[in-house]
Amino acid sequence: MMRNGLIDEYMLVTVPVLVGGGTPFFTALDSWVKLNLAETRTFPGGVVLTRYETRR
């Protein structure tokens, strides 16, 4: 869906946890996805919600 430009908005929730290596959340793409930061909210305990809108 990302490769075909079908996603209009991304909402990411970041939870502060220390871990070792992991699996990438997004796989490798052919080109960059252009995004505008639309919103950031911080919650108790350090959780952060960021919302991005796709730039076309």
Side-chain angles (χ1 to χ4, degrees), residues 9-47:
E9 181 175 285
Y10 295 85
M11 293 182 75
L12 302 176
V13 177
T14 306
V15 180
V17 178
L18 292 176
V19 294
T23 306
F25 188 71
F26 297 108
T27 58
L29 297 173
D30 301 330
S31 62
W32 289 97
V33 176
K34 296 177 183 171
L35 302 172
N36 287 328
L37 179 62
E39 178 183 7
T40 301
R41 279 195 263 171
T42 304
F43 297 93
V47 175

